[in-house]
Amino acid sequence: MLTGRVDLSNTAGAVLGMVAIGARSGYEIGRAVERSLRFFWALGPPQIYAELRRLEAEGLLRGADETRGKRPRRTFEVTAAGERALRTWLERDEPVPLELRDPQLLRLFFADALPGVDASARVDAMRRRSERALDHFRAEILPAADGARADGFALPGEVARFGVELHEFIVGWCDRVEAELGEDRG
Amino acid sequence: MLTGRVDLSNTAGAVLGMVAIGARSGYEIGRAVERSLRFFWALGPPQIYAELRRLEAEGLLRGADETRGKRPRRTFEVTAAGERALRTWLERDEPVPLELRDPQLLRLFFADALPGVDASARVDAMRRRSERALDHFRAEILPAADGARADGFALPGEVARFGVELHEFIVGWCDRVEAELGEDRG
DNA sequence: CAAAGCATGTAAATAGTTACATGATTTA
DNA sequence: TAAATCATGTAACTATTTACATGCTTTG
């Protein structure tokens, strides 16, 4: 069907957007996701390939076969209809929730539901996680965002800095809470 | 089976934990979730009821029938095995990722993928969303956390303050980015 | 040339959401 | 007593993850 969806899902928007900024194959999209969207919109290979197939069937992407020997390979580009759909999705202004799903915060929430559970250990795990995340941002995501900036895309850099500052905020919060918990015990 | 799972899922831990801190029925758990976990671990009624059934079948919860007339109703309490499972889950120390899933940040990321898309409008939607969230925290979640504190549970309050400070951070970030975007245009 | 890892995907299972159904209780 | 809302769930659908399969390409 060549008319396409009017309302893209967020995952469809992410995949279409990735093709729009230059990722051609499922694999390239997967690589780009790992270096950019990953921390606020994770996508695994099965989702990417399934979405590519749907978007092509709807006429929002045009696929080309680049099979070599028995190894299948397919590359994509955005059609005019795809660009319209992407624009509509980008500009949509419904109230979208911030979906945070954090097992660590969940454990901390219940840490005093049972006697003898060490809340500080939960907070410490949270802090270490954000420190690891910061390493990853500095090693992978910020450099990739600089690359995007060189290609004329500025927003990936802003979003990457959001990630960095978010984790810095979490580290600071953990330090404050650990100090408080220490006082209560002391 | 009365042996129970060794490894609770996070959703199972959330439901079991809610019973442990005093929510007795599926409905009460749902209410409590809306006033506390919602912003970092959302759970709808179908998940809650399905999980209660599983936890009872595994012997981690003991259910009691309180049907009135034709209206079914079931209340629960944590068994000794349930308490052990909850403790194990609470103290588990695997590297759990921060799963952020934010359609707004996703749109902002791609805002310069197409010409003529207004990035400031995306940032503004983000800021308004966090302002609404802050209203909700002050009206619902912080008071509920104060209630929990009165019952001897301190961590829900800490976690609620995490939510407040997180959204304050986001509001500040949005203001900074909007200022930057304004400069670039001006 | 064997092993490691790069690249491309699929099938099956699990998790989560949406839409609905239904009865009890309170309120206008 | 009609309407609202409280309370309890189920069925069907959608999204996501896990585990696997397979063939190419590079490197020791």
Side-chain angles (χ1 to χ4, degrees), chain B residues 39-121:
Chain B
F39 85 94
F40 62 94
W41 199 270
L43 285 178
Q47 271 172 286
I48 293 169
Y49 289 111
E51 199 59 58
L52 284 170
R53 195 150 13 96
R54 273 195 293 270
L55 289 168
E56 185 180 3
E58 291 170 334
L60 305 181
L61 287 177
R62 178 171 30 252
D65 186 69
E66 292 195 9
T67 298
R68 310 263 163 196
K70 284 188 185 166
R71 190 88 206 98
R73 184 184 152 85
R74 202 161 181 78
T75 58
F76 298 90
E77 52 183 33
V78 179
T79 64
E83 198 174 309
R84 281 195 301 276
L86 181 57
R87 182 179 301 274
T88 301
W89 173 75
L90 280 173
E91 291 177 341
R92 214 153 75 200
D93 214 353
E94 354 123 86
V96 288
L98 174 68
E99 296 164 45
L100 188 61
R101 210 156 182 82
D102 188 352
Q104 204 65 68
L105 221 38
L106 188 58
R107 283 171 169 80
L108 183 60
F109 180 90
F110 288 115
D112 51 13
L114 294 179
V117 174
D118 184 359
S120 289

Side-chain angles (χ1 to χ4, degrees), chain B residues 89-163:
Chain B
W89 173 75
L90 280 173
E91 291 177 341
R92 214 153 75 200
D93 214 353
E94 354 123 86
V96 288
L98 174 68
E99 296 164 45
L100 188 61
R101 210 156 182 82
D102 188 352
Q104 204 65 68
L105 221 38
L106 188 58
R107 283 171 169 80
L108 183 60
F109 180 90
F110 288 115
D112 51 13
L114 294 179
V117 174
D118 184 359
S120 289
R122 299 304 103 211
V123 177
D124 195 52
M126 259 182 87
R127 208 200 40 242
R128 289 198 317 272
R129 177 182 67 182
S130 281
E131 280 164 354
R132 273 197 309 276
L134 284 168
D135 289 343
H136 183 241
F137 269 90
R138 295 195 244 269
E140 303 282 338
I141 298 184
L142 288 176
D146 289 342
R149 177 173 292 267
D151 292 342
F153 302 115
L155 275 319
E158 300 290 345
V159 171
R161 286 202 309 123
F162 177 91

